[in-house]
Amino acid sequence: MGKTIIISNRLPVQLQISNESITAIPSVGGLATGMKSVHSGGDSLWIGWSGLTDEEIPQELAPKIDEALAEHGSSKVKLTSAEVDGFYYGFSNRTIWPLFHYFLEYSEFELASWDIYKKVNQKFADAILEKATDDDTIWVHDYQLMLVPQMVREKRPDISIGFFLHIPFPSYEIFRTMPWRKEVLSGLLGADLIGFHTYDYERHFLSSVRRLLGLDVSFNDIYLDDRTIKVDSFPMGIDYKKFSDAAKEHAQRSEEQKSELQKRLDTHKKSTPDAKFFLSIDRLDYSKGIAKRLNAFEYFLNKYPQYKEKVRLIILAVPSRSNVPQYQLLKKEIDELVGRINGELSTVSWTPIWYFYRSMPFENLIDLYTTCDIAWLTPIRDGMNLVAKEYIATRTDKTGVLILSEMAGSANEMNESILINPNNFEQIADALNQAITMPKAEQQNRNSILQKRLERYNVEKWANDFMTSLRNQKEGNTTYVSRKLSVDLMNTITKDFGKSNKRLLFIDYDGTLAGFHNDPQKASPDAELYELLDQISNRENTDMYLISGRDKETFTKWFLPKKYNMIVEHGVWISQNGEEFRMLENVKKDWMEKIHPVLESFVDRTPGSFIEEKNYSLAWHYRNTDPDFGQKRATELNTVLTSLIANDDLSVLNGNKVMEIKSSNVNKGRAAMRIYAEDAYDFVFAIGDDWTDEFMFQELPESAVTIKVGRQKTQAKYYVDSIKNVRDLLKRFT
Ligand code: ADP
Ligand code: G6P
């Protein structure tokens, strides 16, 4: 088995150079802290940016950089300061980050930084290609590297690639505003598996894929050429044991062993034993709602003045992306707010807000988590928020209250916390009051449920689930009933075809020989296709039938001069050897008067849909509608029709973005069987892509070679992935 290559912008450590020596400091942020626990170092390699630009690394230190990173199982991608500016401070954090967190007004769309983003993504892809062998698994992380999967796929079509997005995926309405939206989606679709923290992000992504790229999506599978891409949600967990063990160890420390911070916290606790400490820890980021939180704190103290001098808010804000103007403005805003609120409310013995603007070592983080009575996290948007989970994991005696914004991905899994809307100050003030007065037994009750869940679905389980899903995806779409048509199988079929005395072939048209088109009339045959069909139909002892749901007028125009055998309108009409069409089934059409107005009412209410009137059937096409809406309307129409046609001998066929109503005694299976019965055929072959072709697959004799185009569930024996595959196979019959 190959190794796993993790690839992200941040490595587990950031290198710094001072006094000509290199120090490695742990990276902050959910991606690095979470993945660090997964990355064992031995059989996985982590590729990323060291945190230093090329210009910052003196030549003599370059080898030491590699050594320092190798100690952490890591390897670097070199970036110049111009690249860091355009890629990291630019496109990643001035375009995607704000856009994906719904800060549309902060998003800058600069062509130059998009160009650098592409270039740097290529650098990361090249770094993977240099290290990877074909049996390795590539796991790409986060919004800085969304083009990497496709860039790797291009060079290594068979390698296994997973992608995980650590931030929200916004709704289509937001995502569509980005000029390079299609390129970004295509970049991601190079992966075999795309993971998100929550189902909401997953469905936003699928909706964008359908609407912007027009790809077929079935549940959470995306069909792209001859590949299936799986999309799923995997809520990231934490290294639970690391946090709870650290908390237990801290609880047993003697006075001398305690950190300076802990001693200070203890002193304050002792001096005001019934005072409560509120804690918030975030990177200094506008998505975290820090300014709102400060305002809400002031609001709370005004609404519940009895808590003045009885509560203290500890804010730990970690410096982040400080070259981006919005972050600089935010820093200024927070400094001023803290200054103003403390200035207005402080007393001789009480400072309401303690504000730390720095990164802290892990052990101080644990001091804060274990000491503070209430964790108060108010992101306006947050992909997950691991701090919430870490706080709960450190509460060894199960006391403590978590107040969490419902806009954080983790809120989905933390229902037992107090969930708040970060914009609702009234609700927040009441939540703080509720937290302060919450009985110990209730705290323990809530936290024990949360702890069990976090312990079970920890970061290791998360990573394993993702990797298992990626493996299954790669190993071959095991859920398909039919077998993929391999070269060996094709050889056997070709041999059987050659050996047989009398052959019968049924070939569907749309989606099998030709691609779909918004206007069905435009999906006409090309010269290459005519040539292929000429050659097959001219073969001795070979009866080839084009079998289609199309109307006879269109097929008369396209194929009658060619004298191909044809069955159209699902089996109503037949034409053999260039003769005019005649009826194969006697069918009624008086029902159409009743159904037509119903379909019209659906056309009126479903922009982009239209009715196709055939001689003996009516079809409602919804290929050009909004995909979600069209599907919804189709389900609705199905219900309406089912009750309407209950007493008529009619059936509704659900095709590919089309619903067709026709007589029940007409279908492709029945038509095919009538032809089959006319002669002693010893080679029977049927190929089609659509639900209506299933009738042939079902009814033809067991010995028939039946082939589905596409990977949907089927009664056919085999499947192929594309129209190109179909044509390649048919060439073998010429
Ligand atoms: P984000 O990924 O947006 O920064 P998360 O809450 O998901 O937000 O992850 C933050 C991670 O960074 C957590 O694992 C947390 O422990 C770590 N962290 C946060 N603040 C600090 C700090 N001051 N010092 C060290 N690590 C921190
Ligand atoms: C979030 C992102 C990560 C990023 C982290 C810290 O968690 O999802 O990709 O690494 O924030 O941000 P930074 O810009 O310092 O890497």
Side-chain angles (χ1 to χ4, degrees):
M1 224 183 90
K3 59 184 177 305
T4 301
I5 299 185
I6 300 169
I7 182 128
S8 63
N9 177 50
R10 284 271 177 227
L11 286 171
V13 288
Q14 297 301 292
L15 300 186
Q16 287 179 349
I17 298 179
S18 54
N19 301 330
E20 287 171 29
S21 72
I22 299 168
T23 36
I25 52 162
S27 302
V28 290
L31 188 168
T33 53
M35 286 305 293
K36 208 183 305 180
S37 310
V38 176
H39 174 52
S40 55
D43 57 355
S44 65
L45 170 69
W46 194 332
I47 299 178
W49 172 50
S50 68
L52 294 168
T53 63
D54 290 355
E55 290 83 347
E56 286 168 323
I57 305 174
Q59 231 173 11
E60 62 282 8
L61 279 187
K64 292 221 174 101
I65 299 271
D66 291 335
E67 280 166 32
L69 292 178
E71 272 174 38
H72 298 271
S74 304
S75 160
K76 69 172 188 302
V77 175
K78 284 163 54 116
L79 297 181
T80 64
S81 69
E83 284 168 344
V84 171
D85 272 350
F87 157 73
Y88 174 72
Y89 292 114
F91 198 75
S92 298
N93 288 316
R94 285 196 216 181
T95 307
I96 305 178
W97 179 273
L99 189 71
F100 281 35
H101 285 84
Y102 293 75
F103 285 82
L104 206 59
E105 70 280 19
Y106 290 179
S107 278
E108 295 171 14
F109 300 125
E110 297 281 345
L111 184 59
S113 53
W114 163 247
D115 283 339
I116 298 190
Y117 182 80
K118 279 193 291 188
K119 182 173 153 214
V120 172
N121 269 246
Q122 189 63 59
K123 273 195 154 181
F124 277 84
D126 291 344
I128 300 174
L129 291 164
E130 194 182 302
K131 305 267 183 198
T133 61
D134 271 350
D135 53 354
D136 288 346
T137 302
I138 313 296
W139 191 359
V140 186
H141 290 266
D142 230 1
Y143 64 100
Q144 301 91 345
L145 303 178
M146 291 196 285
L147 307 179
V148 168
Q150 180 52 27
M151 290 170 167
V152 175
R153 173 75 56 209
E154 256 166 42
K155 297 275 158 52
R156 293 279 175 87
D158 294 324
I159 206 163
S160 183
I161 307 174
F163 180 91
F164 192 84
L165 187 73
H166 291 259
I167 65 172
F169 194 93
S171 98
Y172 162 72
E173 288 298 341
I174 298 284
F175 182 69
R176 72 196 290 210
T177 60
M178 178 160 68
W180 309 281
R181 58 213 184 164
K182 285 192 184 175
E183 287 89 331
V184 166
L185 291 180
S186 303
L188 290 170
L189 292 180
D192 297 296
L193 172 67
I194 302 174
F196 297 94
H197 282 306
T198 73
Y199 172 66
D200 281 332
Y201 309 156
E202 173 191 334
R203 72 183 170 80
H204 289 156
F205 173 72
L206 287 173
S207 155
S208 285
V209 166
R210 259 190 310 214
R211 289 159 182 235
L212 293 168
L213 301 183
L215 293 180
D216 273 343
V217 175
S218 157
F219 297 100
N220 52 351
D221 285 336
I222 301 170
Y223 301 103
L224 173 65
D225 301 328
D226 58 351
R227 296 196 302 122
T228 311
I229 296 129
K230 193 175 194 69
V231 179
D232 212 340
S233 55
F234 305 86
M236 188 177 190
I238 56 165
D239 187 342
Y240 186 90
K241 199 166 172 308
K242 177 172 136 192
F243 283 91
S244 75
D245 285 356
K248 279 180 209 147
E249 188 266 320
H250 274 229
Q252 281 160 8
R253 283 188 179 180
S254 64
E255 210 47 44
E256 299 81 69
Q257 288 170 321
K258 285 182 180 170
S259 68
E260 280 314 304
L261 174 69
Q262 186 66 61
K263 284 181 193 156
R264 245 184 93 194
L265 291 167
D266 287 350
T267 312
H268 280 274
K269 279 239 133 167
K270 258 190 220 125
S271 64
T272 44
D274 51 346
K276 299 284 181 194
F277 282 13
F278 302 166
L279 171 69
S280 77
I281 297 186
D282 330 74
R283 276 181 310 100
L284 191 94
D285 194 299
Y286 46 80
S287 65
K288 303 287 184 182
I290 305 173
K292 278 235 159 85
R293 191 183 307 144
L294 289 166
N295 284 317
F297 184 57
E298 189 180 24
Y299 189 93
F300 158 76
L301 287 173
N302 287 329
K303 182 167 180 187
Y304 293 96
Q306 66 271 33
Y307 292 126
K308 284 187 182 162
E309 306 208 343
K310 295 270 179 329
V311 295
R312 168 163 290 132
L313 172 59
I314 303 179
I315 289 204
L316 172 58
V318 190
S320 184
R321 305 172 195 165
S322 37
N323 282 11
V324 178
Q326 290 302 344
Y327 289 74
Q328 293 162 356
L329 287 174
L330 179 68
K331 165 79 175 44
K332 193 159 167 279
E333 185 187 0
I334 307 275
D335 285 352
E336 284 170 8
L337 261 175
V338 172
R340 183 180 64 70
I341 297 173
N342 273 345
E344 280 170 19
L345 295 175
S346 293
T347 61
V348 184
S349 55
W350 180 59
T351 316
I353 304 166
W354 283 357
Y355 169 50
F356 301 91
Y357 175 64
R358 71 182 76 136
S359 189
M360 280 196 186
F362 179 72
E363 73 156 0
N364 287 156
L365 223 55
I366 302 294
D367 292 336
L368 287 171
Y369 283 148
T370 50
T371 309
C372 294
D373 312 276
I374 293 160
W376 180 25
L377 304 168
T378 57
I380 297 170
R381 269 308 146 175
D382 203 339
M384 173 48 71
N385 198 298
L386 296 178
V387 168
K389 295 183 172 180
E390 293 170 1
Y391 175 73
I392 295 295
T394 59
R395 307 302 299 181
T396 43
D397 65 355
K398 299 188 175 15
T399 61
V401 182
L402 170 65
I403 302 177
L404 177 62
S405 160
E406 57 193 44
M407 312 302 169
S410 50
N412 288 308
E413 303 155 75
M414 304 190 85
N415 239 321
E416 293 74 13
S417 61
I418 302 181
L419 296 180
I420 47 105
N421 173 349
N423 303 307
N424 186 341
F425 284 13
E426 197 60 25
Q427 184 198 27
I428 292 177
D430 294 343
L432 288 170
N433 178 46
Q434 184 193 351
I436 294 169
T437 54
M438 187 182 286
K440 208 168 160 183
E442 184 182 343
Q443 297 176 24
Q444 289 172 325
N445 225 337
R446 289 174 183 244
N447 290 339
S448 58
I449 304 172
L450 285 169
Q451 286 184 347
K452 269 196 203 123
R453 194 176 302 141
L454 295 178
E455 190 170 9
R456 198 173 52 238
Y457 202 85
N458 58 24
V459 72
E460 198 185 333
K461 178 91 174 62
W462 166 81
N464 282 341
D465 274 10
F466 185 91
M467 287 309 230
T468 308
S469 184
L470 178 57
R471 218 171 297 124
N472 289 344
Q473 180 65 9
K474 199 65 199 170
E475 269 168 16
N477 308 304
T478 39
T479 49
Y480 301 121
V481 184
S482 60
R483 272 205 289 162
K484 182 163 180 146
L485 194 65
S486 62
V487 175
D488 281 352
L489 283 165
M490 272 203 267
N491 290 340
T492 313
I493 293 170
T494 318
K495 223 184 272 162
D496 291 348
F497 178 90
K499 278 196 310 210
S500 55
N501 300 318
K502 187 84 202 189
R503 302 142 192 152
L504 178 59
L505 313 178
F506 294 106
I507 308 174
D508 167 56
Y509 184 76
D510 294 284
T512 303
L513 291 176
F516 288 102
H517 207 284
N518 284 347
D519 174 357
Q521 288 306 314
K522 293 209 172 119
S524 55
D526 51 82
E528 186 199 78
L529 180 59
Y530 277 128
E531 178 162 350
L532 175 66
L533 296 176
D534 279 346
Q535 288 183 17
I536 300 174
S537 65
N538 287 339
R539 274 198 73 143
E540 293 272 299
N541 299 321
T542 306
D543 293 341
M544 179 193 83
Y545 281 82
L546 296 182
I547 186 160
S548 170
R550 288 252 181 185
D551 61 283
K552 74 177 175 14
E553 286 70 23
T554 305
F555 265 35
T556 300
K557 187 170 78 194
W558 288 350
F559 300 120
L560 199 71
K562 292 282 187 183
K563 302 194 173 162
Y564 304 152
N565 300 319
M566 297 178 275
I567 294 169
V568 295
E569 296 190 24
H570 300 287
V572 178
W573 303 95
I574 185 165
S575 158
Q576 287 163 309
N577 308 314
E579 291 163 5
E580 286 297 313
F581 274 103
R582 65 185 160 84
M583 278 187 104
L584 189 60
E585 291 284 352
N586 236 332
V587 282
K588 289 195 266 183
K589 55 192 298 186
D590 50 353
W591 55 271
M592 286 189 176
E593 281 169 33
K594 181 168 81 178
I595 302 295
H596 203 279
V598 177
L599 297 188
E600 271 170 4
S601 79
F602 273 76
V603 170
D604 292 343
R605 294 184 300 129
T606 319
S609 72
F610 63 93
I611 301 171
E612 185 187 3
E613 290 179 41
K614 303 189 192 177
N615 295 293
Y616 289 91
S617 70
L618 290 174
W620 178 70
H621 289 265
Y622 58 98
R623 178 164 301 279
N624 308 338
T625 64
D626 172 287
D628 292 330
F629 185 54
Q631 197 52 52
K632 195 169 145 264
R633 280 277 190 259
T635 311
E636 197 185 321
L637 178 59
N638 211 357
T639 316
V640 172
L641 289 173
T642 312
S643 59
L644 208 64
I645 62 176
N647 300 323
D648 301 289
D649 208 5
L650 293 177
S651 49
V652 180
L653 298 184
N654 288 296
N656 192 331
K657 303 276 192 282
V658 56
M659 286 176 73
E660 185 151 0
I661 303 98
K662 56 169 206 51
S663 270
S664 295
N665 62 353
V666 178
N667 66 50
K668 287 185 181 179
R670 194 174 148 118
M673 282 308 284
R674 283 178 65 154
I675 307 296
Y676 172 71
E678 282 173 7
D679 210 330
Y681 294 104
D682 58 353
F683 179 90
V684 181
F685 173 96
I687 189 163
D689 72 305
D690 181 324
W691 198 82
T692 61
D693 299 306
E694 293 295 320
F695 287 107
M696 292 196 285
F697 304 150
Q698 255 166 48
E699 294 199 23
L700 285 170
E702 182 48 36
S703 57
V705 176
T706 49
I707 302 176
K708 172 91 171 175
V709 187
R711 300 190 175 198
Q712 287 88 349
K713 280 223 171 68
T714 181
Q715 304 265 352
K717 284 189 192 142
Y718 312 111
Y719 75 88
V720 293
D721 276 315
S722 65
I723 291 171
K724 181 174 177 307
N725 294 155
V726 176
R727 292 194 182 190
D728 288 346
L729 171 65
L730 292 179
K731 271 188 203 131
R732 291 166 164 256
F733 298 159
T734 59

